[in-house]
Amino acid sequence: MAQGDRVGRVIVVMGVSGTGKTSVGRLLADALGVPYAEGDTFHSAANVAKMRGGTPLDDVDRRPWLDAVGAWIAARPAGRGGGVVSASALKRAYRDRLRAAAPDVVFVHLTGDRALTEQRLEVRTGHFMPAALLDSQLDALEPLEDDEVGVVVDVAGTPEQTARRALTALKGLTSPGDAGALGDPDAPAAPETPRKPETPGKPDTP
């Protein structure tokens, strides 16, 4: 399919803390020329205080946050420019809730070695999420399933390298409009194996 035939869609950069969702998300948005939103800004003050104190959020805590992220995505429907938002979206139910608000959403799951993500969390400053909550996030994580539209990208290396891998993987989504209006990566990168529905239809979503 020609580049011009692709329909812009919102990309959710998902994964546990320490995988570089913010850095990679901003790079993807810059490369695609679309707006970027930081998912953490949609959390309530109560949620932030809970995480800062070392207590994991439960499903009830996350529902208003997911709905706020979903509203941002829904305000950028397919064909109207798209966008990129970072959000952990750890569980299938969370992604389903996002898809309920915006069925055309596409996921980029950032994943990597636990030691690497822990190291990044330990040196990160100015963020309310403590490294001690990494295990709870890994326990809650449910990887993308075969019927979910998205790609899995390893975070080894720099954020720029990860973003290039993500762009290449997204371009591998060959169904009409799956990857949105994608820009070319700055340099070649080995494509990640894309995940997409086995049959055309409404895609599945934090």
Side-chain angles (χ1 to χ4, degrees), residues 86-130:
S86 58
S88 52
L90 299 177
K91 295 183 179 181
R92 171 65 188 255
Y94 301 165
R95 299 190 293 272
D96 285 343
R97 197 173 183 95
L98 289 182
R99 273 187 290 266
D104 292 320
V105 71
V106 177
F107 290 90
V108 171
H109 180 190
L110 300 184
T111 184
D113 181 75
R114 186 195 184 285
L116 174 61
T117 54
E118 185 175 36
Q119 180 185 41
R120 290 179 176 182
L121 284 173
E122 288 174 347
V123 300
R124 184 169 67 174
T125 59
H127 195 277
F128 56 78
M129 181 74 175

Side-chain angles (χ1 to χ4, degrees), residues 4-189:
D5 293 334
R6 293 181 181 269
V7 180
R9 296 169 74 170
V10 174
I11 296 168
V12 174
V13 182
M14 62 167 282
V16 300
S17 292
T19 52
K21 295 187 296 294
T22 296
S23 298
V24 174
R26 290 186 185 279
L27 288 167
L28 287 177
D30 288 345
L32 302 175
V34 298
Y36 171 77
E38 169 54 60
D40 286 341
T41 64
F42 295 100
H43 275 299
S44 67
N47 279 4
V48 171
K50 191 171 183 177
M51 287 184 284
R52 194 186 301 276
T55 302
L57 299 182
D58 58 28
D59 289 354
V60 174
D61 296 324
R62 290 183 182 276
R63 284 170 192 158
W65 171 70
L66 290 167
D67 291 343
V69 175
W72 187 89
I73 297 171
R76 288 149 188 81
R80 298 186 185 178
V84 178
V85 59
S86 58
S88 52
L90 299 177
K91 295 183 179 181
R92 171 65 188 255
Y94 301 165
R95 299 190 293 272
D96 285 343
R97 197 173 183 95
L98 289 182
R99 273 187 290 266
D104 292 320
V105 71
V106 177
F107 290 90
V108 171
H109 180 190
L110 300 184
T111 184
D113 181 75
R114 186 195 184 285
L116 174 61
T117 54
E118 185 175 36
Q119 180 185 41
R120 290 179 176 182
L121 284 173
E122 288 174 347
V123 300
R124 184 169 67 174
T125 59
H127 195 277
F128 56 78
M129 181 74 175
L133 291 183
L134 177 59
D135 284 335
S136 69
Q137 290 206 333
L138 290 170
D139 289 342
L141 177 63
E142 297 173 0
L144 290 173
E145 298 181 17
D146 290 341
D147 62 333
E148 297 186 85
V149 179
V151 296
V152 179
V153 180
D154 189 87
V155 299
T158 66
E160 290 77 12
Q161 290 171 327
T162 301
R164 287 197 293 269
R165 285 195 291 268
L167 285 168
T168 300
L170 286 165
K171 292 184 74 171
L173 292 172
T174 56
S175 296
D178 273 351
L182 298 178
D184 290 329
D186 295 333

